[in-house]
Amino acid sequence: EEWDGMYDIYGTILYRANLDGTGVEKLEQYEPPQVPEGLLGSVNLNYMTADAEGNLWVCESGWFYHYELPEGWDPGQGNQWEYYVDDGQETYIRKLDANGAEITRLDISSLTEDMEYFYVNSMQMDGAGNIYICYEMNVYVLGPDGQKLFTLEAPEYVYNLVRLGDGTIGAMSWDTATGKQILKTINAGTKSWGQDVPLPMNVNTIYNGNGNYDFFYSDSSNFYGYNIETGEPEKLLNWIGCDINQNDLMAVIPLEDERIVCFTYSWDYGGGSGSSTEIALLSKKPASEVEQKTVLTLACLWLDYTLRGEIIKFNKTNGKYRIEVQDYSEYNTEEDWNAGLTKLTTEITSGKVPDMFCTDQLPIKQYAAKGLLEDLYPYIDADPELGRDALMENVLKAMEIDGKLYETASN
């Protein structure tokens, strides 16, 4: 149905596919909960997981409203939002079969009856089939039949849940005393909090564990496996080295055979190609089987979204060269936020100098004074398609050091 001012029609659709991207098939029997008759609003799919039998468990939230317009109201004479009435929200947790048809709808009204608003921040299922959801500082645990088993309250806000390698659940929160990130494990048998696991300072996003690691996590550049017993992370891969922009990751699923499934969503800002969604399946391969290219190293203390994307695009399309990024901020610690810069400086002093620098936060003038940097002007002048005349020379002039150009602006 079309109406004035309509830009697009959208809704939630579920698909399944093989890991190699083939066999894409719509789950025809999936129907999201409907907006109640007489109301406006929308229902969104927030979380989804699968149980041991291959059924899907979904968490959906609906937000509803209506307008109490006066009799004879003329849309050309006023704004209908002045008559907006909030009808609240509903949270649905449903069990679906492999084709998307509803099997069970859990009644969680007992959790929300005393709250004006209730929003599920995260949802997980443990190895016994119990469902965990969190909101603000509380974790609610439901049995497979939807009956509430117990509730745990944390001292601080709980913002994510993760299934650990042994099938139990952990909650990401903050340590009240130190202000640092922790993972609070949950003991379903005693219906209580278990161990508080301090998390590395560079944890960006945390992912479910498996038989190899208790959980996995990403920082701004790398992907790690973590064992709670040893308290030590193991770097498994560098995202740029796998031609994946970490900022585009929507989900990461490590498999038991050490392969890693990645879902990415990206938007081509200014490129005109719009958005794209991809599934990437990563697997280990001997270095001898990888196409050999000349490696250019780039050192940085942080890499912005645009430059990260351009490096990945270059690596995918250039047949001769490949850029490897070393983000030294990964070496920073809670005790020493300059540890990465110290390590880079030590390596440069010992003769291990990268081919390129991302100059943000780096002492470029000191590097130039020591003769570590190349003047870029001769390369610009020798380029038949470029030259200084093609550039904004006043910008280059402003970036000179003693008449030489050691760095350029990205835009």
Side-chain angles (χ1 to χ4, degrees):
E1 181 182 352
E2 296 186 0
W3 62 91
D4 292 339
M6 182 189 73
Y7 293 99
D8 55 13
I9 299 175
Y10 62 90
T12 301
I13 303 174
L14 298 185
Y15 293 88
R16 58 169 162 245
N18 299 320
L19 289 181
D20 61 3
T22 63
V24 178
E25 183 180 0
K26 179 181 177 181
L27 302 189
E28 297 287 353
Q29 297 185 40
Y30 172 72
E31 294 184 2
Q34 299 299 303
V35 175
E37 186 176 353
L39 298 182
L40 300 170
S42 62
V43 178
N44 301 309
L45 175 62
N46 300 323
Y47 298 98
M48 179 169 59
T49 189
D51 62 23
E53 287 74 42
N55 299 306
L56 298 176
W57 287 82
V58 296
C59 177
E60 298 149 312
S61 293
W63 299 83
F64 311 120
Y65 63 95
H66 73 279
Y67 302 108
E68 289 188 353
L69 302 175
E71 186 176 354
W73 180 78
D74 183 355
Q77 300 297 319
N79 188 338
Q80 65 179 353
W81 288 99
E82 297 177 4
Y83 307 98
Y84 171 88
V85 177
D86 185 354
D87 291 300
Q89 49 92 219
E90 293 286 345
T91 299
Y92 312 94
I93 295 180
R94 301 192 296 153
K95 178 181 180 181
L96 313 177
D97 67 18
N99 296 312
E102 180 177 314
I103 299 174
T104 304
R105 180 179 300 209
L106 304 187
D107 180 7
I108 62 169
S109 59
S110 61
L111 306 182
T112 64
E113 57 187 8
D114 296 328
M115 303 180 189
E116 183 177 2
Y117 291 103
F118 180 85
Y119 183 81
V120 175
N121 293 332
S122 183
M123 181 179 85
Q124 287 288 352
M125 177 176 290
D126 68 14
N130 299 315
I131 301 164
Y132 296 66
I133 57 177
C134 65
Y135 173 67
E136 294 188 342
M137 294 186 291
N138 293 321
V139 176
Y140 305 92
V141 184
L142 310 175
D145 57 358
Q147 294 298 311
K148 184 172 76 172
L149 302 180
F150 60 94
T151 302
L152 293 177
E153 182 176 0
E156 299 289 341
Y157 190 83
V158 176
Y159 54 92
N160 197 14
L161 300 173
V162 61
R163 185 172 63 248
L164 304 178
D166 61 1
T168 60
I169 303 297
M172 290 185 72
S173 186
W174 303 93
D175 185 292
T176 303
T178 65
K180 298 178 181 180
Q181 290 189 102
I182 57 173
L183 185 71
K184 298 179 70 67
T185 62
I186 297 174
N187 188 324
T190 60
K191 301 181 180 180
S192 63
W193 294 112
Q195 177 184 359
D196 283 356
V197 180
L199 294 175
M201 65 167 285
N202 58 342
V203 170
N204 193 352
T205 308
I206 196 167
Y207 302 100
N208 290 345
N210 58 23
N212 302 313
Y213 297 94
D214 290 311
F215 61 87
F216 299 83
Y217 73 89
S218 277
D219 62 11
S220 60
S221 300
N222 306 306
F223 185 67
Y224 302 83
Y226 193 94
N227 285 317
I228 293 176
E229 183 176 352
T230 63
E232 293 294 331
E234 180 180 352
K235 185 193 296 186
L236 302 178
L237 58 86
N238 176 276
W239 288 118
I240 291 180
C242 297
D243 294 337
I244 289 179
N245 192 331
Q246 189 266 347
N247 300 102
D248 295 337
L249 285 169
M250 300 296 292
V252 178
I253 306 173
L255 305 178
E256 297 288 348
D257 61 6
E258 298 187 328
R259 293 183 300 166
I260 301 173
V261 183
C262 304
F263 293 83
T264 65
Y265 176 85
S266 60
W267 184 268
D268 183 13
Y269 294 97
S273 61
S275 63
S276 63
T277 303
E278 295 181 333
I279 301 175
L281 181 61
L282 308 181
S283 58
K284 290 183 177 181
K285 180 181 288 189
S288 59
E289 297 180 13
V290 178
E291 181 182 3
Q292 299 302 303
K293 297 181 181 181
T294 300
V295 174
L296 304 174
T297 56
L298 183 146
C300 64
L301 286 176
W302 178 74
L303 204 59
D304 69 64
Y305 178 88
T306 302
L307 182 56
R308 185 186 302 272
E310 290 300 317
I311 291 172
I312 292 172
K313 185 185 300 182
F314 177 89
N315 287 344
K316 285 183 175 181
T317 58
N318 194 286
K320 185 176 180 180
Y321 297 99
R322 183 173 184 84
I323 298 174
E324 288 188 356
V325 176
Q326 176 60 69
D327 185 345
Y328 283 81
S329 66
E330 70 177 81
Y331 299 106
N332 293 344
T333 66
E334 296 281 3
E335 294 73 29
D336 185 2
W337 285 78
N338 292 314
L341 178 58
T342 301
K343 179 176 176 61
L344 174 58
T345 302
T346 301
E347 291 182 358
I348 291 174
T349 303
S350 66
K352 185 181 177 182
V353 183
D355 297 305
M356 299 174 287
F357 295 95
C358 182
T359 58
D360 295 343
Q361 305 178 60
L362 294 181
I364 295 302
K365 290 186 177 180
Q366 296 180 28
Y367 294 164
K370 294 179 180 180
L372 296 172
L373 305 180
E374 190 84 357
D375 183 8
L376 300 178
Y377 273 141
Y379 297 94
I380 295 175
D381 294 337
D383 191 324
E385 298 180 358
L386 195 61
R388 299 192 202 191
D389 294 342
L391 304 173
M392 299 181 68
E393 292 191 66
N394 58 330
V395 176
L396 301 182
K397 194 74 176 176
M399 304 186 74
E400 288 181 1
I401 299 177
D402 298 329
K404 296 184 177 181
L405 186 68
Y406 296 115
E407 62 176 329
T408 62
S410 60
N411 55 54

